[in-house]
Amino acid sequence: MYKKYIFFLIILCLSAMPFTNIASANFENDGEIDGNLRSTIVQELPAANVSMVIRNLEGQIIFNYNGDRSQKPASNLKLFTVAAALSELGENYRFKTNVFMDGIVKKGVLQGDLYLQGKGDPTLSMNDLKELAAFLHSQGLKKINGRIVADDFYFDQKLLTPHIEKEDQSYYYAAPVTALMISPNKDYDAASVLIEAKGNKEGKKPTLHIEPAKGELIIRNEAKIVAYGQPNTLKIERAFGTRKVYITGNLPREQTVREWIAVPQPTKQTMTLFKEALKSQQVDYTDTTFYRAVPPKNAHLIAQKQSVPLKEIMIPYMKLSNNSISNVLVKTLGKEVKKRGSTPAGLKTIKKYAASAHIPIKNAVLDDGSGLSQENRLTAKDLTELLYKIYKDEKWFNTYFNSLPIAGKNDRLTGGSLQNRLTSPLTNGRVFAKTGSIERVNTLSGYFIGQSGKMYIFSLLVENQEDTVEEIDHIITEAARVL
């Protein structure tokens, strides 16, 4: 699916971009342009902290409004994370999940242990587990007399990224990270389950559908279906620090509510579902205990599942602003470059990439790779310098560019988080940028085509005010008009 889609996006974006005119974009320092944009910022956001920089494609700054001030980047931090990943891991990097046997199979019975080894694949699915189990059965395995063991030691055991708020931990965007997780679908929100509640018959409890399966979660359905047209008060939440999910409130007949819920112990959840997959493929076992260990050196690799290449994972990652993939990439960078699968090691690798690209972010604060933490700090100047260097120097620029949400494009894997934004004729299909949003912070950084037909690089960071998306869009539309 994604291979064809990537190719289409490259054609679409290259046809939209005036690459033949890129070299002709001259340094612009028009006082009227500067005045118009400054007055628009002050008018739209008089009480907020605003930082904005615009560069032309020669890298020259043509507009600077507090561009050196460090602010919270929210998900604009992902622009650095993915750049480091493409540089250090490569576009064709594939995550691997391995199955090892430690023992001998006699008459279809393994006298020994079976190991499922994860290396951080955010695309691992229930279907993948079933395929691995089916392969084992096809090789004659009918029963396991030993243990079924998880190896998730590729990453450290600090499952949550720093400074995750208590109220966020129930939900997919703040899901814990291990090296052995599964995703409910091809959005790749690893370590979460999708719970869908349907209002079928009034007076009854909602019907539940769970993808990929409840696994280790305990579901408490305490909700009630009420008459059509009544208020929808249904909530789906996991109790803090537990595996209990409560469905409460009223759901009107004929309505549906969907929620992605983070699982507290992703490795244990994966192993529960792997055992279910084994059973479904007629592979029996006797020991149901959860074990974690590294396969011994004499264990045999008997099966391997590889993910699609990183360049294909980029589309759901950046279009949908997937925090789980960010956190996986950071730990993978740490493991592959620093030999430690931890968030601190991965963040050092991101800074190392920035230094190698001559992007001076020494004073930046990187607390995670997704931007969810309120402790992160970057400048608009840093972000536009990154976007310029990638455009100018990196062979993977097209992959990077095509992963950015496109303003006003309705398809969610094209428009992504910009599909319903910047829809005026000046900006529709002409802004290619990463959105960002956390409490009292909204950001937008990327590329836009001005009214002149020239491409520009920009970053706009706004903090200390809630819900400034509309104001940001007005400012970018004004920039497109005057340029």
Side-chain angles (χ1 to χ4, degrees), residues 55-109:
R55 297 178 187 261
N56 61 24
L57 288 182
E58 282 74 43
Q60 297 161 318
I61 294 176
I62 63 173
F63 179 75
N64 187 343
Y65 187 94
N66 299 323
D68 287 309
R69 185 167 63 196
S70 291
Q71 295 198 187
K72 301 171 186 179
S75 282
N76 282 198
L77 179 56
K78 291 181 173 75
L79 293 166
F80 270 96
T81 300
V82 76
L86 288 170
S87 177
E88 298 294 337
L89 304 177
E91 294 179 278
N92 295 314
Y93 182 86
R94 294 175 185 263
F95 296 91
K96 298 178 177 65
T97 303
N98 300 318
V99 179
F100 288 88
M101 272 187 188
D102 177 31
I104 299 172
V105 178
K106 291 183 178 180
K107 296 182 179 180
V109 180

Side-chain angles (χ1 to χ4, degrees), residues 318-332:
M318 294 291 277
K319 298 286 188 182
L320 307 179
S321 200
N322 186 308
N323 289 345
S324 179
I325 295 175
S326 266
N327 297 330
V328 164
L329 288 176
V330 169
K331 289 196 173 188
T332 302

Side-chain angles (χ1 to χ4, degrees), residues 118 150-161 176-180 264-268 290 292 331 341-343:
D151 174 10
D152 62 354
F153 293 97
Y154 191 73
F155 292 164
D156 67 6
Q157 296 305 304
K158 292 184 178 179
L159 306 192
L160 294 174
T161 53
V177 175
T178 74
L180 191 54
Q265 296 291 331
T267 297
K268 196 169 184 179
F290 173 68
R292 289 176 63 246
K331 289 196 173 188
S342 68
T343 296

